[in-house]
Amino acid sequence: MKKTTIWIDCDPGIDDAVALAMAAASRDQLRILGISSVAGNQVSDRVTENARRLAAFYGMEDVPVVRGAREPLLKVPETAASVHGESGLGNCRLPDTDKPLASENGVAYMAQAIEALPEGETLTLVPVGPLTNIALLLKVFPQVRAKIERIVLMGGSASGGNHSASAEFNIWADPEAAQIVFQSGLPIVMCGLDVTHQSGLYPEQVEALLRSEKPVEHAVGEMLSFYADTSSRGRTVACIHDAVTILYLTNPELFGGEWASVQVDCTNDINRGMTVCDRRAKTSPKPVLVLNQVDLPGFQKVMLEKLASI
Protein backbone atom coordinates (compact mmCIF):
# COMPACT_ATOMS: atom_id res chain seq x y z
CA MET A 1 0.00 0.00 0.00
CA LYS A 2 1.30 3.43 -0.94
CA LYS A 3 1.62 5.64 2.11
CA THR A 4 -0.05 9.04 2.37
CA THR A 5 2.51 11.75 3.09
CA ILE A 6 1.27 14.17 5.75
CA TRP A 7 2.41 17.17 7.75
CA ILE A 8 0.75 17.62 11.17
CA ASP A 9 0.27 21.18 12.45
CA CYS A 10 -0.90 21.18 16.06
CA ASP A 11 -1.25 22.96 19.41
CA PRO A 12 -1.04 20.10 21.94
CA GLY A 13 -3.62 20.11 23.69
CA ILE A 14 -5.15 16.85 24.87
CA ASP A 15 -7.03 15.94 21.70
CA ASP A 16 -3.93 16.93 19.68
CA ALA A 17 -1.97 14.46 21.81
CA VAL A 18 -4.40 11.68 20.91
CA ALA A 19 -4.25 12.67 17.23
CA LEU A 20 -0.46 12.36 17.36
CA ALA A 21 -0.84 8.92 18.95
CA MET A 22 -3.14 7.88 16.11
CA ALA A 23 -0.57 9.07 13.58
CA ALA A 24 2.25 7.25 15.37
CA ALA A 25 0.21 4.05 15.31
CA SER A 26 -0.56 4.44 11.60
CA ARG A 27 2.91 4.64 10.09
CA ASP A 28 2.13 1.63 7.94
CA GLN A 29 -0.30 3.97 6.13
CA LEU A 30 1.09 7.43 6.81
CA ARG A 31 4.47 8.97 6.13
CA ILE A 32 4.80 11.82 8.64
CA LEU A 33 6.98 14.47 7.02
CA GLY A 34 6.99 16.71 10.09
CA ILE A 35 5.13 18.21 13.04
CA SER A 36 4.79 21.95 13.64
CA SER A 37 3.43 23.78 16.66
CA VAL A 38 1.09 26.74 16.67
CA ALA A 39 -0.09 28.84 19.61
CA GLY A 40 -3.66 27.92 20.49
CA ASN A 41 -4.68 25.62 23.31
CA GLN A 42 -1.68 26.95 25.22
CA VAL A 43 1.09 29.47 24.58
CA SER A 44 3.81 28.68 22.06
CA ASP A 45 6.44 27.49 24.54
CA ARG A 46 4.09 24.96 26.13
CA VAL A 47 2.58 23.52 22.96
CA THR A 48 6.01 23.31 21.32
CA GLU A 49 7.44 21.47 24.33
CA ASN A 50 4.41 19.17 24.35
CA ALA A 51 4.86 18.39 20.64
CA ARG A 52 8.52 17.57 21.22
CA ARG A 53 7.81 15.29 24.18
CA LEU A 54 4.83 13.59 22.55
CA ALA A 55 6.79 12.79 19.39
CA ALA A 56 9.49 11.13 21.50
CA PHE A 57 6.99 9.37 23.80
CA TYR A 58 5.19 7.84 20.81
CA GLY A 59 8.40 6.65 19.15
CA MET A 60 8.55 9.32 16.44
CA GLU A 61 12.17 10.27 17.13
CA ASP A 62 12.84 10.43 13.40
CA VAL A 63 10.06 12.95 12.71
CA PRO A 64 11.20 16.60 12.83
CA VAL A 65 9.33 18.89 15.23
CA VAL A 66 9.43 22.64 14.54
CA ARG A 67 8.07 25.76 16.21
CA GLY A 68 5.43 27.61 14.24
CA ALA A 69 3.57 30.85 14.83
CA ARG A 70 3.69 32.26 18.37
CA GLU A 71 0.48 34.28 17.92
CA PRO A 72 -2.43 34.78 15.49
CA LEU A 73 -2.13 36.93 12.37
CA LEU A 74 -4.01 39.90 13.84
CA LYS A 75 -5.78 39.22 17.11
CA VAL A 76 -4.43 39.02 20.63
CA PRO A 77 -3.66 35.37 21.50
CA GLU A 78 -5.99 33.66 23.97
CA THR A 79 -5.53 30.08 25.18
CA ALA A 80 -7.88 27.27 26.19
CA ALA A 81 -6.13 26.57 29.50
CA SER A 82 -9.47 26.03 31.22
CA VAL A 83 -10.03 23.01 28.95
CA HIS A 84 -6.52 21.57 28.61
CA GLY A 85 -4.88 22.67 31.86
CA GLU A 86 -1.83 24.78 32.53
CA SER A 87 0.53 22.28 30.89
CA GLY A 88 -1.82 21.72 27.96
CA LEU A 89 -2.01 17.99 28.74
CA GLY A 90 -4.23 17.98 31.82
CA ASN A 91 -2.73 16.02 34.69
CA CYS A 92 -0.43 13.94 32.50
CA ARG A 93 3.31 14.44 32.95
CA LEU A 94 5.36 13.09 30.07
CA PRO A 95 9.00 12.09 30.42
CA ASP A 96 11.57 14.62 29.30
CA THR A 97 13.45 14.03 26.06
CA ASP A 98 16.60 15.25 24.40
CA LYS A 99 14.85 15.30 21.02
CA PRO A 100 15.79 18.73 19.60
CA LEU A 101 13.60 21.15 17.69
CA ALA A 102 14.49 20.97 14.02
CA SER A 103 13.76 24.68 13.52
CA GLU A 104 12.45 27.79 15.27
CA ASN A 105 11.08 28.98 11.90
CA GLY A 106 8.52 26.29 11.31
CA VAL A 107 6.67 27.72 8.32
CA ALA A 108 9.87 28.13 6.29
CA TYR A 109 11.00 24.64 7.31
CA MET A 110 7.62 23.22 6.24
CA ALA A 111 7.84 24.98 2.87
CA GLN A 112 11.34 23.61 2.25
CA ALA A 113 10.24 20.08 3.15
CA ILE A 114 7.27 20.28 0.78
CA GLU A 115 9.37 21.70 -2.06
CA ALA A 116 11.88 18.88 -1.56
CA LEU A 117 9.28 16.19 -2.22
CA PRO A 118 10.16 14.08 -5.28
CA GLU A 119 8.60 14.95 -8.62
CA GLY A 120 5.00 13.80 -8.73
CA GLU A 121 4.66 13.30 -4.96
CA THR A 122 2.09 15.33 -3.04
CA LEU A 123 1.29 15.89 0.60
CA THR A 124 -1.77 16.25 2.81
CA LEU A 125 -1.69 19.02 5.39
CA VAL A 126 -3.31 18.04 8.70
CA PRO A 127 -3.84 21.17 10.84
CA VAL A 128 -5.59 20.49 14.15
CA GLY A 129 -5.09 23.91 15.77
CA PRO A 130 -5.57 27.52 14.67
CA LEU A 131 -4.73 27.89 10.98
CA THR A 132 -2.05 30.57 11.38
CA ASN A 133 0.83 28.46 10.03
CA ILE A 134 -1.15 27.17 7.07
CA ALA A 135 -2.26 30.67 6.06
CA LEU A 136 1.33 31.93 6.28
CA LEU A 137 2.56 28.96 4.25
CA LEU A 138 0.08 29.61 1.44
CA LYS A 139 0.70 33.36 1.37
CA VAL A 140 4.49 33.49 1.81
CA PHE A 141 5.36 30.34 -0.16
CA PRO A 142 2.65 30.07 -2.86
CA GLN A 143 4.88 27.76 -4.93
CA VAL A 144 4.14 24.87 -2.54
CA ARG A 145 0.45 24.81 -3.50
CA ALA A 146 1.20 22.55 -6.47
CA LYS A 147 2.40 19.83 -4.10
CA ILE A 148 -0.49 20.08 -1.62
CA GLU A 149 -3.06 17.44 -2.49
CA ARG A 150 -5.59 18.51 0.15
CA ILE A 151 -6.03 19.88 3.66
CA VAL A 152 -7.71 17.70 6.30
CA LEU A 153 -8.36 20.03 9.23
CA MET A 154 -10.06 20.05 12.59
CA GLY A 155 -12.05 23.21 12.99
CA GLY A 156 -15.31 24.95 12.33
CA SER A 157 -18.92 23.90 12.48
CA ALA A 158 -22.03 24.10 10.34
CA SER A 159 -24.29 24.01 13.39
CA GLY A 160 -23.02 26.18 16.23
CA GLY A 161 -19.79 26.61 18.16
CA ASN A 162 -18.06 25.58 21.37
CA HIS A 163 -16.01 28.67 22.21
CA SER A 164 -18.98 30.90 21.45
CA ALA A 165 -22.53 30.20 20.35
CA SER A 166 -21.44 30.29 16.71
CA ALA A 167 -17.65 29.73 16.63
CA GLU A 168 -15.45 26.68 17.16
CA PHE A 169 -12.23 27.43 19.09
CA ASN A 170 -9.60 26.76 16.38
CA ILE A 171 -11.33 29.05 13.90
CA TRP A 172 -12.18 31.69 16.50
CA ALA A 173 -8.53 31.76 17.61
CA ASP A 174 -7.44 33.10 14.19
CA PRO A 175 -10.40 33.82 11.89
CA GLU A 176 -8.32 35.77 9.36
CA ALA A 177 -5.98 32.81 8.90
CA ALA A 178 -8.96 30.44 8.57
CA GLN A 179 -10.53 32.63 5.88
CA ILE A 180 -7.29 32.54 3.89
CA VAL A 181 -7.22 28.74 4.07
CA PHE A 182 -10.89 28.17 3.27
CA GLN A 183 -10.70 30.57 0.33
CA SER A 184 -7.45 29.06 -1.00
CA GLY A 185 -9.24 26.90 -3.55
CA LEU A 186 -7.44 23.80 -2.28
CA PRO A 187 -9.56 20.71 -1.55
CA ILE A 188 -10.44 20.68 2.16
CA VAL A 189 -11.97 18.11 4.48
CA MET A 190 -13.46 19.94 7.47
CA CYS A 191 -13.59 17.74 10.57
CA GLY A 192 -15.65 20.20 12.56
CA LEU A 193 -17.92 19.95 15.58
CA ASP A 194 -20.69 18.41 13.46
CA VAL A 195 -18.69 15.16 13.45
CA THR A 196 -16.26 15.56 16.36
CA HIS A 197 -19.03 16.03 18.94
CA GLN A 198 -20.10 12.51 17.94
CA SER A 199 -16.58 11.04 18.03
CA GLY A 200 -15.02 9.90 21.27
CA LEU A 201 -14.78 7.30 23.99
CA TYR A 202 -17.27 6.32 26.68
CA PRO A 203 -16.31 6.94 30.33
CA GLU A 204 -15.75 3.23 30.94
CA GLN A 205 -13.34 3.10 27.97
CA VAL A 206 -11.39 6.07 29.34
CA GLU A 207 -11.32 4.41 32.75
CA ALA A 208 -9.92 1.21 31.20
CA LEU A 209 -7.12 3.23 29.60
CA LEU A 210 -6.38 4.88 32.92
CA ARG A 211 -6.01 1.44 34.56
CA SER A 212 -3.71 0.15 31.82
CA GLU A 213 -0.09 -0.67 32.65
CA LYS A 214 0.96 0.25 29.11
CA PRO A 215 2.58 3.71 29.24
CA VAL A 216 0.80 5.18 26.21
CA GLU A 217 -2.64 3.87 27.10
CA HIS A 218 -2.25 5.05 30.71
CA ALA A 219 -1.05 8.52 29.65
CA VAL A 220 -3.95 8.93 27.22
CA GLY A 221 -6.30 7.77 29.99
CA GLU A 222 -4.88 10.48 32.28
CA MET A 223 -5.36 13.14 29.62
CA LEU A 224 -8.88 12.08 28.66
CA SER A 225 -10.03 11.82 32.30
CA PHE A 226 -9.10 15.49 32.72
CA TYR A 227 -10.57 16.41 29.33
CA ALA A 228 -13.89 14.68 29.95
CA ASP A 229 -14.37 16.85 33.04
CA THR A 230 -13.55 20.13 31.27
CA SER A 231 -14.84 19.79 27.70
CA SER A 232 -17.40 17.00 27.41
CA ARG A 233 -19.85 17.68 30.24
CA GLY A 234 -23.34 16.59 29.31
CA ARG A 235 -22.15 14.36 26.44
CA THR A 236 -22.19 10.59 26.38
CA VAL A 237 -18.61 10.46 25.06
CA ALA A 238 -15.39 12.33 25.78
CA CYS A 239 -15.06 14.09 22.43
CA ILE A 240 -11.61 13.63 20.86
CA HIS A 241 -11.90 16.26 18.15
CA ASP A 242 -8.43 16.31 16.58
CA ALA A 243 -8.10 12.53 16.26
CA VAL A 244 -10.90 12.55 13.68
CA THR A 245 -8.49 13.96 11.09
CA ILE A 246 -6.08 11.02 11.36
CA LEU A 247 -8.81 8.37 11.48
CA TYR A 248 -10.43 9.96 8.45
CA LEU A 249 -7.15 9.46 6.58
CA THR A 250 -6.70 5.85 7.70
CA ASN A 251 -10.36 4.77 7.84
CA PRO A 252 -12.45 7.09 5.65
CA GLU A 253 -15.24 4.52 5.52
CA LEU A 254 -16.14 5.50 9.10
CA PHE A 255 -17.27 9.00 8.09
CA GLY A 256 -19.77 10.80 5.90
CA GLY A 257 -20.38 14.42 4.99
CA GLU A 258 -21.65 17.07 2.59
CA TRP A 259 -19.82 19.33 0.14
CA ALA A 260 -20.00 23.06 0.82
CA SER A 261 -18.49 26.45 0.21
CA VAL A 262 -17.17 27.89 3.49
CA GLN A 263 -16.68 31.51 4.51
CA VAL A 264 -15.33 32.65 7.88
CA ASP A 265 -16.80 35.61 9.76
CA CYS A 266 -13.88 37.96 10.42
CA THR A 267 -15.93 40.79 11.88
CA ASN A 268 -15.66 41.90 15.49
CA ASP A 269 -19.29 41.12 16.15
CA ILE A 270 -20.98 38.26 18.00
CA ASN A 271 -20.39 35.75 15.19
CA ARG A 272 -16.62 36.30 14.87
CA GLY A 273 -15.00 33.00 13.90
CA MET A 274 -18.21 31.42 12.62
CA THR A 275 -17.81 29.11 9.61
CA VAL A 276 -20.70 29.81 7.24
CA CYS A 277 -21.22 26.59 5.27
CA ASP A 278 -23.21 27.04 2.07
CA ARG A 279 -24.52 23.64 0.96
CA ARG A 280 -27.21 24.92 -1.40
CA ALA A 281 -27.51 23.09 -4.70
CA LYS A 282 -27.00 26.28 -6.72
CA THR A 283 -23.73 27.17 -4.95
CA SER A 284 -20.58 26.46 -6.92
CA PRO A 285 -17.81 25.60 -6.37
CA LYS A 286 -18.01 23.49 -3.21
CA PRO A 287 -14.37 22.69 -2.34
CA VAL A 288 -14.97 21.67 1.30
CA LEU A 289 -16.22 18.29 2.48
CA VAL A 290 -17.93 19.02 5.80
CA LEU A 291 -17.99 15.79 7.81
CA ASN A 292 -21.15 15.25 9.85
CA GLN A 293 -21.48 11.47 10.31
CA VAL A 294 -19.39 8.86 12.11
CA ASP A 295 -19.68 5.14 12.80
CA LEU A 296 -19.04 5.51 16.54
CA PRO A 297 -18.46 1.82 17.37
CA GLY A 298 -16.06 1.59 14.43
CA PHE A 299 -14.30 4.81 15.49
CA GLN A 300 -13.84 3.52 19.04
CA LYS A 301 -12.63 0.10 17.89
CA VAL A 302 -9.98 1.60 15.58
CA MET A 303 -8.85 4.15 18.16
CA LEU A 304 -8.43 1.62 20.96
CA GLU A 305 -6.63 -0.84 18.69
CA LYS A 306 -4.21 1.87 17.58
CA LEU A 307 -3.53 2.97 21.16
CA ALA A 308 -2.88 -0.64 22.17
CA SER A 309 -0.40 -1.05 19.30
CA ILE A 310 2.02 1.69 20.41
Side-chain angles (χ1 to χ4, degrees):
M1 179 186 296
K2 182 182 177 182
K3 294 184 180 182
T4 300
T5 301
I6 67 170
W7 183 286
I8 303 172
D9 187 69
C10 56
D11 58 337
I14 291 170
D15 52 336
D16 305 73
V18 183
L20 288 171
M22 295 297 96
S26 305
R27 298 186 74 180
D28 58 329
Q29 295 173 263
L30 305 175
R31 175 192 171 207
I32 307 168
L33 195 62
I35 298 168
S36 50
S37 70
V38 62
N41 286 326
Q42 259 294 354
V43 296
S44 175
D45 283 348
R46 288 180 188 161
V47 298
T48 303
E49 177 66 9
N50 289 345
R52 193 175 66 87
R53 292 193 184 204
L54 286 163
F57 186 59
Y58 295 147
M60 296 189 288
E61 290 282 8
D62 58 319
V63 177
V65 176
V66 299
R67 185 197 297 270
R70 294 173 180 265
E71 57 186 36
L73 295 183
L74 297 179
K75 72 185 289 290
V76 174
E78 297 181 52
T79 70
S82 62
V83 173
H84 298 269
E86 287 305 311
S87 74
L89 299 178
N91 294 324
C92 180
R93 296 295 177 263
L94 295 175
D96 200 0
T97 176
D98 58 3
K99 178 179 174 62
L101 282 181
S103 175
E104 290 279 354
N105 190 348
V107 175
Y109 187 101
M110 193 190 320
Q112 291 166 4
I114 296 171
E115 287 189 82
L117 289 172
E119 185 70 28
E121 186 174 336
T122 59
L123 147 138
T124 295
L125 292 173
V126 187
V128 293
L131 290 165
T132 315
N133 288 335
I134 309 304
L136 288 169
L137 177 73
L138 297 177
K139 283 296 187 182
V140 179
F141 303 98
Q143 68 273 18
V144 304
R145 292 171 56 98
K147 290 192 173 183
I148 298 173
E149 180 179 349
R150 59 180 171 169
I151 301 172
V152 178
L153 64 87
M154 190 280 132
S157 170
S159 55
N162 59 357
H163 184 78
S164 72
S166 55
E168 180 276 328
F169 175 80
N170 284 345
I171 306 302
W172 173 89
D174 197 341
E176 287 77 17
Q179 176 70 346
I180 289 169
V181 173
F182 277 110
Q183 295 304 303
S184 67
L186 291 167
I188 293 174
V189 179
M190 183 175 115
C191 308
L193 300 180
D194 310 281
V195 68
T196 67
H197 272 161
Q198 305 175 58
S199 305
L201 297 178
Y202 293 124
E204 57 269 26
Q205 293 171 316
V206 174
E207 182 62 30
L209 291 174
L210 191 58
R211 292 195 305 267
S212 175
E213 295 182 359
K214 292 184 175 181
V216 169
E217 288 183 326
H218 181 75
V220 170
E222 285 185 316
M223 295 183 220
L224 291 180
S225 295
F226 183 95
Y227 197 53
D229 290 338
T230 59
S231 73
S232 299
R233 294 191 189 98
R235 299 190 181 277
T236 57
V237 295
C239 306
I240 312 174
H241 307 278
D242 292 348
V244 172
T245 58
I246 302 297
L247 293 194
Y248 174 80
L249 289 171
T250 61
N251 297 83
E253 72 281 359
L254 296 175
F255 303 95
E258 296 180 80
W259 290 95
S261 173
V262 178
Q263 297 272 354
V264 180
D265 190 324
C266 294
T267 68
N268 288 315
D269 294 329
I270 192 171
N271 288 325
R272 179 172 174 80
M274 179 181 181
T275 43
V276 182
C277 302
D278 191 345
R279 294 163 286 182
R280 294 175 297 172
K282 67 180 182 180
T283 303
S284 183
K286 295 188 181 72
V288 181
L289 177 60
V290 180
L291 298 187
N292 55 20
Q293 302 169 44
V294 63
D295 170 2
L296 180 58
F299 176 94
Q300 294 171 333
K301 179 175 184 291
V302 170
M303 173 168 286
L304 293 173
E305 286 176 350
K306 287 183 184 295
L307 286 174
S309 75
I310 304 176

